[in-house]
């Protein structure tokens, strides 16, 4: 099913309303407020994925609960919420949404407490429409609540995983400190949220009221509701003439493992040159389904669900995996990879509750050339889609990837001439979208018109080396810690940047996080020269940086290599900056950049915080700026160019006002 924005939703995008303040008296009625990334959709028009649902933030709905936030402090419930606010319900309390358009399905993003010893709990959430039609969702925190240092733990009482690492909490290396510091437990809790989908059983009209109630006397001491997405799903899709997995013994009830039936259906379809069809149902699959030269279509991602357990391996696999689980994988690149694979119209639900980086427990994996992945819904896997090249000509379109332990999509090692477009991503445990040119350059790829919301660690979109790649038209909101909306980084053993890197027409919202290891705030766009120069032709044009927590653009090298590596040939033009907690540009490296038609307002500190590489020579900063004209708002004053030192290592943060039409 293609993810098109409902016309009725479009008509309501201009709806406005007054959010309920924290601790307010119960709100008994509220007009529907439709948002995108918790903003007026007009502010992000033309950016991000076109989605089939209407997003409504809980803080804009009627409730007798308590609004929490806004707060961007990592390890807090508001920081990981969309828009940095949510509604907390005590048992017996509710939040009620008014449907802005006809809908027969809802998605609820929520958080409930962990079990005292970790591992999660379950708790009911009552769903009623217009006071009746009662349904019950079973919420769980079994896929949430990670703690401690990388690669994290499910145990809230665990000691430090790396006592030999420096931590900001004591500004020390605990193992090398006498007396040893007392470290609070749980240490660095995070990844609080999960989401559930529910078919309502019939179509409801615009104006009908969907109430979510945390029942009294049940397991959860509190329930936080972040948002509700509502949509009209429509009927399941049928593929006449295809090879149905049911004919080969697949069990749509999910009671029996269907992996063998899937293999048999694929083998038959390849011989007969047919599609494989997966009818409505929930199918249990607990290992990889290897795909090559085959088309597999489901009835739609609300109807066809491929679900599996994470299974321990008796001995580690050659690639280091200690577990397997549900996933569709191309053949490894070392074996020639797979080609002509087309996957569409189903959901993949994994069972990954911890991060083990060697495990291949991803929704889609391997090497897929001349292939397409369209209209999938993937959750509870380690990575939604991790591709190991070399491979070429892959299109990843119109998918929804949520609640991941690590990335949503990663192009790793020699992926070329491929496109990731129109995808919606929320609640990843690492980069939302990444191109990682380890050992071989990713080249000629495009990330375009995707929406990435609330990555709880790292970046919305990250480019690590490569040649002639493009990031265009994306919407990235609410990164939580140790990352940015957009990162350009020479790190993780990546090949150099070559040719032209284009960052065009993107919008970032409430971006730039606190880097706890450096004790500084990052930019919404973060250039990071750690392992080599960033010296490609970098074109940053037509981007909007909205409500930046710290600065809009940061260029930095690691302190230990600040005299070795530079960031040069960066060109910023036709850009708008609406609100910065500190500066528009923060330069903490040697190098250069040009600026043309960059307009800024509501700037919290000096427009350019130019520290260069901290040598402070009498000739000025080691980083130079060229004013090509048209830079409005007073942020780039004549006296600042080319390289006046304006360094404030940790400037005070002035929270900007909410963004508004330009």
């Amino acid at each position: 099913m293609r993810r098109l924005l409902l016309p009725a939703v479009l008509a309501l995008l201009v709806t406005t309303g007054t959010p309920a303040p924290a601790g307010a008296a119960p709100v008994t009625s509220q007009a529907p407020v439709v948002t995108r990334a918790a903003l007026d959709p007009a502010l992000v028009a033309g950016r991000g994925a076109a989605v089939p649902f209407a997003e409504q933030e809980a803080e804009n709905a009627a409730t007798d609960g308590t609004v929490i936030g806004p707060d961007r402090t990592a390890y807090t419930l508001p920081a990981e919420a969309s828009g940095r606010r949510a509604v907390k319900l005590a048992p017996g309390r509710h939040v009620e949404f008014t449907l802005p358009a006809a809908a027969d399905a809802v998605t609820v993003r929520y958080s409930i407490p962990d079990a005292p010893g970790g591992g999660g709990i379950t708790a009911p959430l009552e769903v009623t429409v217009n006071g009746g039609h009662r349904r019950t969702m079973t919420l769980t925190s079994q896929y949430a609540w990670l703690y401690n240092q990388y690669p994290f733990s499910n145990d809230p009482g665990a000691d430090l995983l790396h006592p030999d690492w420096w931590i900001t909490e004591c500004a020390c290396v605990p193992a090398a400190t006498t007396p040893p510091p007392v470290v609070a437990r749980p240490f660095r809790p995070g990844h609080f949220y999960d989401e559930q989908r529910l078919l309502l059983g019939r179509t409801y009209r615009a104006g009908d009221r969907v109430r979510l109630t945390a029942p009294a006397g049940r397991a959860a001491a509190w329930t936080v509701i972040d948002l509700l997405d509502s949509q009209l799903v429509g009927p399941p899709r049928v593929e006449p003439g295809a090879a149905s997995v049911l004919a080969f013994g697949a069990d749509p009830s999910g009671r029996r493992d269907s992996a063998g039936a899937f293999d048999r259906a694929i083998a038959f379809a390849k011989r007969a040159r047919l599609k494989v069809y997966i009818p409505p149902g929930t199918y249990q699959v607990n290992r990889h389904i290897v795909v090559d030269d085959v088309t597999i279509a489901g009835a739609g991602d609300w109807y066809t669900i491929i679900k599996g357990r994470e299974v321990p391996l008796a001995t580690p696999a050659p690639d280091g995996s200690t577990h397997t689980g549900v996933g569709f994988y191309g053949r490894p690149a070392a074996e020639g990879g797979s080609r002509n694979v087309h996957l569409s119209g189903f959901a993949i639900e994994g069972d990954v509750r911890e991060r083990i980086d060697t495990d291949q427990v991803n929704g889609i994996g391997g090497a897929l050339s001349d292939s397409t992945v369209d209209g999938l819904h993937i959750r509870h896997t380690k990575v939604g889609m991790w591709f190991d090249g070399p491979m070429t000509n892959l299109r990843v379109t119109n998918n929804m990837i949520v609640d991941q332990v690590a990335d949503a999509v990663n192009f790793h090692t020699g992926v070329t001439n491929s496109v990731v477009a129109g995808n919606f991503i929320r609640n990843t445990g690492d980069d939302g979208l990444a191109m990682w040119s380890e050992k071989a350059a990713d080249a000629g790829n495009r990330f375009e018109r995707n929406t990435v919301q609330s990555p709880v660690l790292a970046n919305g979109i990250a480019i690590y080396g490569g040649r002639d790649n493009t990031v265009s038209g994306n919407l990235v909101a609410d990164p939580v810690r140790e990352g940015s909306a957009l990162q350009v980084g020479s790190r993780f053993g990546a090949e150099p940047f070559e040719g032209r890197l284009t960052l065009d027409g993107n919008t970032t919202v409430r971006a730039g996080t606190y880097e706890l290891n450096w004790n500084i705030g990052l930019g919404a766009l973060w250039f990071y020269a750690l392992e080599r120069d960033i010296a490609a032709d970098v074109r940053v044009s037509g981007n909007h940086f909205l409500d930046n927590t710290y600065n809009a653009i940061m260029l930095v090298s690691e302190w230990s290599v600040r005299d070795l590596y530079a960031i040069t040939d960066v060109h910023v033009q036709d850009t708008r900056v609406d609100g910065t907690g500190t500066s528009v540009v923060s330069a903490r490296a040697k190098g250069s950049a040009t600026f043309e038609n960059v307009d800024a307002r509501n700037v919290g500190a000096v427009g350019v915080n130019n520290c260069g590489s901290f040598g402070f020579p009498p000739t000025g900063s080691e980083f130079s700026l060229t004013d090509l004209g048209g830079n409005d708002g007073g942020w780039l004053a004549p006296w600042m160019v080319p390289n006046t030192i304006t360094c404030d290592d940790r400037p005070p943060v002035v929270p900007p006002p909410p963004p508004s039409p330009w």
Side-chain angles (χ1 to χ4, degrees):
M1 179 185 299
R2 299 214 33 110
R3 298 185 174 276
L4 302 178
L5 197 63
L6 297 173
V9 174
L10 278 170
L12 283 156
L13 291 184
V14 297
T15 305
T16 60
T18 303
V27 179
T28 57
S29 64
Q30 188 79 16
V33 181
V34 176
T35 56
R36 292 185 63 209
L39 283 181
D40 178 351
L43 296 176
V44 295
R47 312 289 173 99
V51 296
F53 57 81
E55 171 194 280
Q56 292 176 270
E57 296 285 334
E59 63 268 19
N60 296 332
T63 184
D64 60 358
T66 301
V67 175
I68 59 173
D71 190 350
R72 304 186 193 188
T73 306
Y75 319 119
T76 66
L77 283 159
E80 292 190 18
S82 172
R84 316 299 182 126
R85 294 193 299 165
V87 170
K88 191 171 189 178
L89 303 177
R93 301 292 184 175
H94 72 269
V95 59
E96 185 173 272
F97 301 84
T98 301
L99 292 177
D104 59 5
V106 296
T107 299
V108 178
R109 187 168 191 252
Y110 67 90
S111 179
I112 59 175
D114 196 3
I121 63 172
T122 60
L125 182 72
E126 292 181 357
V127 182
T128 58
V129 184
N130 299 329
H133 308 282
R134 186 180 305 274
R135 308 286 292 273
T136 299
M137 302 178 78
T138 300
L139 308 185
T140 181
S141 54
Q142 294 168 337
Y143 300 97
W145 292 93
L146 295 176
Y147 307 91
N148 223 298
Q149 298 156 297
Y150 172 86
F152 316 114
S153 170
N154 298 110
D155 181 1
D159 291 328
L160 292 177
L161 297 182
H162 303 283
D164 55 336
W165 288 6
W166 187 92
I167 61 172
T168 192
E169 286 81 356
C170 66
C172 71
V173 176
T177 302
T178 304
V182 177
V183 177
R185 300 181 190 177
F187 185 64
R188 297 181 184 173
H191 216 292
F192 303 118
Y193 288 86
D194 203 356
E195 54 189 68
Q196 292 273 1
R197 304 196 296 172
L198 178 67
L199 287 167
L200 297 174
R202 52 164 286 191
T203 299
Y204 293 94
R205 300 171 299 178
D208 286 343
R209 294 168 287 107
V210 177
R211 176 174 289 197
L212 309 179
T213 302
R218 306 306 284 263
W222 50 261
T223 302
V224 169
I225 303 297
D226 182 22
L227 55 78
L228 179 125
D229 296 331
S230 58
Q231 69 183 91
L232 190 62
V233 174
R237 185 173 64 197
V238 178
E239 292 283 351
S244 171
V245 296
L246 299 182
F248 298 87
D251 176 10
S253 74
R255 288 189 292 269
R256 291 183 290 105
D257 191 298
S258 293
F262 277 44
D263 289 343
R264 292 189 293 273
I266 289 169
F268 174 83
K270 290 174 68 172
R271 292 194 302 269
R273 308 310 300 168
L274 297 174
K275 288 183 179 180
V276 173
Y277 176 56
I278 313 176
T282 297
Y283 300 84
Q284 181 188 154
V285 172
N286 301 311
R287 60 166 171 84
H288 299 170
I289 301 297
V290 178
V291 290
D292 185 21
D293 190 27
V294 67
T295 296
I296 303 176
D301 65 59
W302 282 83
Y303 296 109
T304 298
I305 301 168
I306 319 299
K307 188 170 185 176
R309 300 186 304 272
E310 186 178 71
V311 179
L313 298 175
T315 58
D319 62 9
S321 293
T322 58
H323 299 84
T324 189
V326 60
F328 289 77
Y329 274 65
R331 294 188 299 141
E335 299 175 10
S338 292
R339 282 179 165 75
N340 193 33
V341 173
H342 305 284
L343 307 175
S344 66
F346 55 87
I348 299 173
E349 294 191 10
D351 185 37
V352 179
R353 309 180 191 202
E354 60 185 341
R355 179 164 177 167
I356 303 174
D357 279 346
T358 55
D359 277 357
Q360 287 284 351
V361 286
N362 309 316
I364 307 292
L368 298 176
S369 294
D370 303 321
S371 297
T372 61
V373 182
D374 181 78
L376 304 189
H377 184 281
I378 304 177
R379 69 174 186 146
H380 296 163
T381 55
K382 185 184 76 174
V383 175
M385 305 184 194
W386 182 286
F387 300 101
D388 289 304
M391 50 177 274
T392 192
N393 190 29
L394 170 70
R395 292 187 60 85
V396 176
T397 55
N398 308 311
N399 302 286
M400 189 165 184
I401 304 174
V402 300
D403 302 332
Q404 300 295 305
V405 171
D407 307 25
V409 179
N410 194 306
F411 281 178
H412 176 235
T413 302
V415 178
T416 62
N417 302 317
S418 295
V419 175
V420 176
N423 302 283
F424 183 89
I425 293 157
R426 185 162 59 202
N427 194 36
T428 56
D430 212 309
D431 296 326
L433 302 175
M435 300 185 203
W436 182 13
S437 295
E438 186 184 34
K439 299 179 182 177
D442 291 340
N445 301 309
R446 300 181 63 87
F447 287 170
E448 55 190 21
R449 294 290 178 95
N450 303 285
T451 296
V452 181
Q453 292 183 224
S454 301
V456 300
L457 177 71
N459 310 283
I461 300 176
I463 310 298
Y464 305 122
R467 182 178 66 255
D468 296 330
N469 294 305
T470 297
V471 177
S472 177
N474 301 283
L475 170 60
V476 183
D478 296 320
V480 176
R481 65 183 180 99
E482 298 171 66
S484 296
L486 307 172
Q487 186 187 121
V488 177
S490 63
R491 58 190 308 199
F492 304 128
E495 294 297 299
F497 287 96
E498 296 177 327
R500 174 174 289 185
L501 173 63
T502 301
L503 309 175
D504 175 69
N506 304 287
T507 293
T508 72
V509 185
R510 297 175 299 272
T513 70
Y514 169 69
E515 218 300 329
L516 79 169
N517 297 301
W518 295 345
N519 193 25
I520 62 173
L522 302 176
L525 169 56
W526 175 22
F527 292 87
Y528 183 25
L530 174 62
E531 297 172 349
R532 60 176 79 236
D533 294 333
I534 297 176
D537 179 10
V538 181
R539 300 285 169 159
V540 182
S541 62
N543 299 288
H544 297 169
F545 301 111
L546 308 181
D547 196 358
N548 304 279
T549 307
Y550 299 99
N551 41 79
I553 301 172
M554 170 175 272
L555 309 99
V556 61
S557 58
E558 179 74 32
W559 181 260
S560 61
V561 297
R562 66 191 186 282
D563 296 323
L564 297 179
Y565 303 133
I567 302 169
T568 58
D569 210 12
V570 175
H571 307 280
V572 184
Q573 64 181 25
D574 301 331
T575 290
R576 292 177 177 176
V577 177
D578 191 354
T580 63
T582 55
S583 301
V584 175
V585 174
S586 176
R588 302 171 68 94
K590 61 181 182 179
S592 62
T594 68
F595 297 88
E596 181 179 11
N597 296 328
V598 177
D599 299 342
R601 64 187 184 189
N602 301 316
V603 177
V606 63
V608 178
N609 187 10
N610 194 344
C611 298
S613 57
F614 290 87
F616 305 124
T619 53
S621 170
E622 300 91 344
F623 192 91
S624 63
L625 302 89
T626 301
D627 184 350
L628 297 181
N631 298 300
D632 294 336
W635 71 273
L636 186 59
W639 62 267
M640 295 178 179
V641 294
N643 64 335
T644 301
I645 297 171
T646 56
C647 186
D648 185 344
D649 193 27
R650 291 174 177 83
V653 176
V654 179
S660 59
W662 203 265

